[in-house]
Structures are given as structure tokens and as C-alpha cells.
Amino acid sequence: MSVTEEFLTPEEEKEIVDAIVTAEKNTSGEIRVHIENHSEKPPLERAQEVFYQLGMETTVARNGVLFYVGVSDHTFAIIGDEGIDKVVEGDFWNSTKDLVISHFKEKKYKDGLVQGILKAGERLKSYFPYTDDDENELSNEISKS
């Protein structure tokens, strides 16, 4: 098993995907989680690369949010596309990151991601409510590299 496969159990991964589905039920926003073993780049820079590799900038309202985890590096970043970044309060990204990391420090990785995803979903709902013609524009599955 690779480090990324050992990071979460299949059951924990399912709970994270379920949290994404729950968070996206009330918003047109899109949430993704990406987990990788290691990157030479700083986590925020790497998260921005992954954001574009996953095509997250293609959402109609530019309201995608990426949770990036570097397992071996013990790094985490959360970034949002320009649509959501323009409207959330200035400390939103840091407060969400702090929430996730507080769980990570206790080795509760699934709990941290679930709590962060649900918080992001609530904020997305405020600015990008679900509409009847809303489509799931991006996969809810966890991506890995």
C-alpha cells in the first residue's frame, strides 16, 4: 500500500465523499479533495497546480473549492476559485484551514476533512445557492497522485 492509500480507509474515503455530496446539495459550488504523498512545491502552490489539473476553474460560477493534502509532507491547503474567493470574508480560508488542521493534529484526518468540507458547503450555500437547473460539474471522488 502507498502512503496515500494508508492515509484514509476506504470507509473514511466514503464518508468524505458523502460529506461532499451533502455540502453540494444546497449549493451550485463544487468541492474536491486531492491527496498525494509528496511535492517539492509549497502546499499552496501545489494546490493551485492541482486545481487547474482537475479542471476546477471550468465551473460556470467559478466557485470550486479544493482541499489539498500532502501526506508525507504533513501539508494542507484549501483554495477557492475567483468567484467564491471574491465574496467570502477575509479570514474564511484560514479559519477553515485551522479547523481541518486542529483535527489533523489529533490524527483525525477524516474528521478534519469532513468538518472543513461541511463548513465550506455552508459558506458556498450563502453565496451560491442551489438552483433547479444545477448540475454536478466536477467529480465528488477523492483524487490522488
Side-chain angles (χ1 to χ4, degrees):
M1 269 192 169
S2 74
V3 173
T4 53
E5 291 172 329
E6 294 172 3
F7 181 66
L8 298 166
T9 67
E11 295 78 22
E12 289 172 325
E13 286 191 19
K14 183 181 180 323
E15 287 182 59
I16 291 167
V17 171
D18 289 347
I20 293 170
V21 170
T22 298
E24 290 183 356
K25 277 186 181 169
N26 298 311
T27 179
S28 64
E30 296 288 336
I31 299 171
R32 298 280 324 253
V33 173
H34 182 80
I35 299 171
E36 67 183 9
N37 182 33
H38 168 73
S39 174
E40 295 294 328
K41 297 183 177 174
L44 196 54
E45 184 180 330
R46 180 62 184 138
Q48 290 167 334
E49 276 185 355
V50 170
F51 189 92
Y52 288 101
Q53 287 171 354
L54 295 175
M56 294 185 67
E57 81 286 1
T58 63
T59 61
V60 172
R62 301 295 301 263
N63 57 359
V65 175
L66 175 66
F67 288 77
Y68 168 85
V69 180
V71 178
S72 291
D73 303 324
H74 302 284
T75 56
F76 174 75
I78 178 174
I79 60 171
D81 206 350
E82 62 184 35
I84 185 72
D85 196 45
K86 285 181 191 174
V87 295
V88 293
E89 56 277 10
D91 70 339
F92 175 73
W93 301 118
N94 282 333
S95 67
T96 305
K97 180 180 77 170
D98 292 345
L99 172 68
V100 173
I101 289 174
S102 71
H103 286 83
F104 279 18
K105 286 179 178 176
E106 298 175 12
K107 302 200 181 321
K108 297 179 180 176
Y109 306 114
K110 183 262 306 177
D111 293 341
L113 288 168
V114 166
Q115 292 303 310
I117 289 163
L118 295 176
K119 180 178 180 178
E122 282 300 309
R123 185 54 64 225
L124 282 163
K125 179 174 79 170
S126 300
Y127 297 105
F128 301 96
Y130 180 84
T131 59
D132 289 338
D133 62 345
D134 185 50
E135 291 181 25
N136 191 16
E137 297 176 81
L138 300 172
S139 170
N140 295 333
E141 297 303 310
I142 296 171
S143 61
K144 296 177 185 175
S145 61

